[in-house]
Amino acid sequence: MVRHGFGYFLEAHKLTDLLPGRSSEARLAAASANGTSARGQHLRELLDELGPTFVKFGQLLSTRPDVVPPDIITELRGLQDDVRPFPFEQAERVIVEELGNSIDRLFLEFEREPVAAASIGQVHRAILPNGKRVAVKVQRPGAPRQIEADLVLLYQAARLVKERVHALDFIDAHALIDEFARQIRQELDYRLEGRNAQTFHRNFAGDPHVHVPKVYWTYTRTRVLTLEWLEGTQLADVDTLPLSIEERRDLAYRVAETWMAMIFRHGFFHGDPHPANILILEEAGTIGLVDFGAVGKLTDDDMTKLTRIFIDAAQENVDVLPKRLADLGVRYPKEREQEFLAELREIYYRYYGASLSEIDPIQVMRETFQLIYSMNLHLPTRYLLLDRALATLGSVGVELYPDFNVFEVARPYARTLLLERFTPQRVARRARRDAFAYAHILREAPFQWHDLMEQVRDGQIEVGFVHKGLDDFLEQMQRVFNRLVVALIVTGGLIGSSLIGIFAKGGPHVLGVNVISVIGFALAGLLGLWLLWGVVRSGRL
């Protein structure tokens, strides 16, 4: 880091104790003179020197506008095209170990110089014994061991960032490394990439304008992948072809529609559509796809929700976008819905109707992410690869046809998509699938209820009731019953005293009335007056 000009970063965050040796101060002084003007270039050179794992990590960072500033993203994208190849002797050793035979016996011809080099492997052109031309992708020797060692270093760096670089608290560095580790470990198994290629080949089998290479499984192992060779020109070299403006426009449409079909029809899309992975084939209006290590997968439910967003955006129905985003898993406080809608509307109309030459897709991505994070919203991680694909696709559109407007593709595609997603056959299929799911729930319900009751019986579940306002009600009912008891006593006293006064002939009398009867009338009268006063005072006669 110091040698590539990041001494100022170590000084600013008090990380100079990590530097060994007595010359650290001198090296810092020399390195810090570079400043931050070319930090993106320096970071790219730093990652390139550190090796394949860090190159791949730089590629991941180039897809995260929520984490990395635009100037650094622009430089990191160069890591995809500038990786040093490894010697042919090492490639030959890997092929022999994986396929169990020498190159001379496996292939009629095998070119020693690779035609492309990537961070994990490189591609050689070859010819099979049956005369088929193939591309043989060979993994770098010792790549898995080196990647695991580098991942340990990255996790240590993530821990340092969390503990000591508080300026980066908005980044969950450990989660970022987790995402990268999961991705790169999958890419180490070329058989997985072969299965991805086979899926794309099957999905586009009936499309005459999109060609996906066939996988030769006999010549494919964990560290060796053999695919059909596609003869064409990389989209990155489109300027070398004598294409007219109309042909470039049609090509832009073809690429955009291909990825729309992947995302919205197949639910299985190429996650890295940069110009080196798209070929312009010799057949007119036909493109070829290569490099299937990074792919995204969407469920049918995801595709339905994305389709609704796509259609609403194409039809300028911006007001429902917050709800559509909420369906995707973007969470926001209900009281901030209007604010969220206003921000979305501003971003939408700022770019609506503009050509891609007037739009920086990275800037649009950054604005969207900044909106999500400034409002403390959460975007599900499964859509990050989709964001990367769409952002890269926008850049490809600029390279092909600067005046290409994405909404020209979106509107007719939205109508077709709407018809396809909601045909009677698809609706019936979804209804049948939902019916099976509900039947399964009903079938399992008695067993779940039995398990629940057993847990309650065994004391594993405690059920508590919390009542609100019941105390006041009970107090009022107690008061009512007390008054009824007093009223009954008064009534009984009056009746009893009257009977005593009528039938009692002996004993002392006052004014001709038995004394006991007089006392009974007096007590009953006092209790009656006390009860009447309580009712009057309560205000409820």
Side-chain angles (χ1 to χ4, degrees):
M1 288 182 67
V2 172
R3 187 166 62 252
H4 285 278
F6 290 99
Y8 72 92
F9 183 86
L10 299 179
E11 285 185 325
H13 298 287
K14 297 181 174 57
L15 298 173
T16 53
D17 59 295
L18 301 175
L19 297 173
R22 297 180 178 178
S23 61
S24 60
E25 292 185 4
R27 287 186 286 124
L28 272 174
S32 298
N34 291 324
T36 61
S37 58
R39 58 182 183 174
Q41 177 186 345
H42 294 157
L43 181 60
R44 175 174 56 80
E45 294 169 351
L46 164 65
L47 295 173
D48 188 50
E49 181 179 337
L50 285 171
T53 309
F54 293 88
V55 169
K56 293 293 292 183
F57 185 61
Q59 293 176 9
L60 172 67
L61 290 179
S62 72
T63 69
R64 294 297 300 268
D66 57 320
V67 173
V68 183
D71 60 312
I72 295 181
I73 283 181
T74 302
E75 286 290 339
L76 292 182
R77 291 175 64 195
L79 286 169
Q80 297 171 339
D81 304 316
D82 186 19
V83 181
R84 291 183 291 271
F86 53 91
F88 169 74
E89 291 73 21
Q90 295 181 2
E92 183 179 22
R93 191 180 312 121
V94 171
I95 292 174
V96 171
E97 290 174 357
E98 290 293 307
L99 300 183
N101 216 329
S102 66
I103 286 183
D104 293 338
R105 293 188 176 184
L106 291 168
F107 304 96
L108 286 180
E109 295 181 15
F110 193 96
E111 295 186 5
R112 296 176 62 90
E113 293 297 322
V115 295
S119 54
I120 293 180
Q122 63 190 29
V123 178
H124 292 263
R125 187 158 39 193
I127 299 178
L128 296 179
N130 61 5
K132 298 289 185 181
R133 298 173 64 85
V134 294
V136 183
K137 188 174 182 179
V138 185
Q139 192 174 104
R140 290 178 182 269
R145 183 176 64 255
Q146 183 64 51
I147 284 173
E148 291 301 326
D150 290 339
L151 286 175
V152 172
L153 295 177
L154 284 171
Y155 277 114
Q156 291 178 354
R159 178 178 54 81
L160 282 171
V161 167
K162 181 179 180 180
E163 294 175 354
R164 303 179 60 177
V165 187
H166 298 297
L168 299 179
D169 282 346
F170 70 97
I171 300 174
D172 189 343
H174 195 278
L176 189 65
I177 305 303
D178 281 341
E179 175 191 347
F180 170 65
R182 183 170 55 254
Q183 173 184 316
I184 197 169
R185 283 167 178 154
Q186 288 181 346
E187 293 187 26
L188 284 173
D189 189 349
Y190 282 173
R191 292 172 301 179
L192 178 59
E193 182 175 347
R195 288 192 289 271
N196 293 338
Q198 190 173 45
T199 301
F200 283 117
H201 183 83
R202 182 171 60 251
N203 290 343
F204 287 100
D207 192 328
H209 301 292
V210 181
H211 195 93
V212 178
K214 175 185 175 182
V215 183
Y216 290 92
W217 289 107
T218 307
Y219 292 83
T220 296
R221 297 291 187 275
T222 302
R223 296 188 294 164
V224 177
L225 173 64
T226 303
L227 299 170
E228 172 190 1
W229 177 263
L230 299 184
E231 196 66 51
T233 304
Q234 288 185 354
L235 209 60
D237 302 324
V238 67
D239 292 335
T240 63
L241 299 177
L243 298 178
S244 65
I245 293 296
E246 286 300 318
E247 288 173 328
R248 292 174 73 100
R249 179 180 180 277
D250 292 342
L251 191 57
Y253 269 88
R254 179 68 55 213
V255 173
E257 289 176 353
T258 298
W259 258 262
M260 287 181 183
M262 291 181 194
I263 295 168
F264 294 104
R265 286 190 184 140
H266 308 151
F268 189 82
F269 61 92
H270 195 301
D272 193 13
H274 70 81
N277 290 337
I278 303 173
L279 302 178
I280 306 171
L281 303 185
E282 296 176 348
E283 299 88 345
T286 305
I287 62 173
L289 307 179
V290 296
D291 194 354
F292 309 98
V295 298
K297 301 171 185 176
L298 299 170
T299 65
D300 189 67
D301 186 54
D302 289 334
M303 288 190 290
T304 299
K305 293 173 181 177
L306 285 170
T307 299
R308 289 170 181 165
I309 289 182
F310 182 78
I311 292 170
D312 288 329
Q315 295 179 348
E316 304 181 56
N317 194 7
V318 187
D319 291 343
V320 300
L321 289 182
K323 183 180 183 305
R324 298 290 185 236
L325 289 171
D327 291 340
L328 283 180
V330 178
R331 296 289 174 256
Y332 55 88
K334 190 66 177 176
E335 60 273 12
R336 303 190 69 182
E337 181 173 354
Q338 290 304 316
E339 177 188 353
F340 187 37
L341 176 59
E343 295 288 347
L344 279 175
R345 190 182 290 118
E346 181 180 349
I347 293 176
Y348 181 86
Y349 285 115
R350 189 184 308 155
Y351 296 106
Y352 178 78
S355 64
L356 287 182
S357 61
E358 301 170 325
I359 299 176
D360 179 1
I362 298 298
Q363 181 62 25
V364 176
M365 290 293 298
R366 276 197 62 78
E367 288 185 20
T368 305
F369 273 113
Q370 287 299 326
L371 171 60
I372 289 174
Y373 285 98
S374 66
M375 295 187 64
N376 296 320
L377 309 183
H378 172 70
L379 181 68
T381 55
R382 68 182 182 276
Y383 296 113
L384 290 174
L385 191 63
L386 177 60
D387 293 330
R388 164 186 172 177
L390 294 176
T392 308
L393 202 58
S395 301
V396 171
V398 173
E399 295 294 328
L400 281 175
Y401 184 64
D403 293 328
F404 173 66
N405 189 313
V406 69
F407 288 97
E408 293 182 17
V409 180
R411 285 189 169 181
Y413 194 87
R415 287 193 294 268
T416 304
L417 199 60
L418 183 63
L419 293 175
E420 290 181 355
R421 293 293 298 174
F422 298 101
T423 58
Q425 294 83 359
R426 293 188 74 111
V427 172
R429 188 159 59 246
R430 282 198 295 271
R432 184 168 60 250
R433 185 182 61 247
D434 292 343
F436 281 124
Y438 294 143
H440 178 73
I441 293 173
L442 290 174
R443 187 184 65 184
E444 294 293 326
F447 303 102
Q448 294 175 351
W449 177 254
H450 177 263
D451 293 341
L452 176 65
M453 296 305 296
E454 281 193 336
Q455 291 174 355
V456 172
R457 182 197 63 191
D458 297 338
Q460 298 177 6
I461 296 179
E462 294 183 357
V463 180
F465 294 94
V466 177
H467 55 77
K468 295 182 179 180
L470 191 58
D471 291 337
D472 293 339
F473 174 75
L474 292 176
E475 184 179 350
Q476 291 176 5
M477 292 300 296
Q478 186 177 8
R479 189 178 299 117
V480 169
F481 282 119
N482 290 340
R483 289 175 179 176
L484 285 174
V485 170
V486 173
L488 289 173
I489 292 174
V490 170
T491 304
L494 291 173
I495 295 174
S497 298
S498 299
L499 291 175
I500 291 173
I502 295 172
F503 295 105
K505 302 300 183 180
H509 287 68
V510 178
L511 300 176
V513 180
N514 191 283
V515 173
I516 297 177
S517 178
V518 172
I519 295 174
F521 277 121
L523 291 176
L526 288 174
L527 286 174
L529 290 174
W530 177 75
L531 179 60
L532 181 61
W533 171 248
V535 173
V536 172
R537 190 174 59 178
S538 68
R540 297 177 181 177
L541 291 176

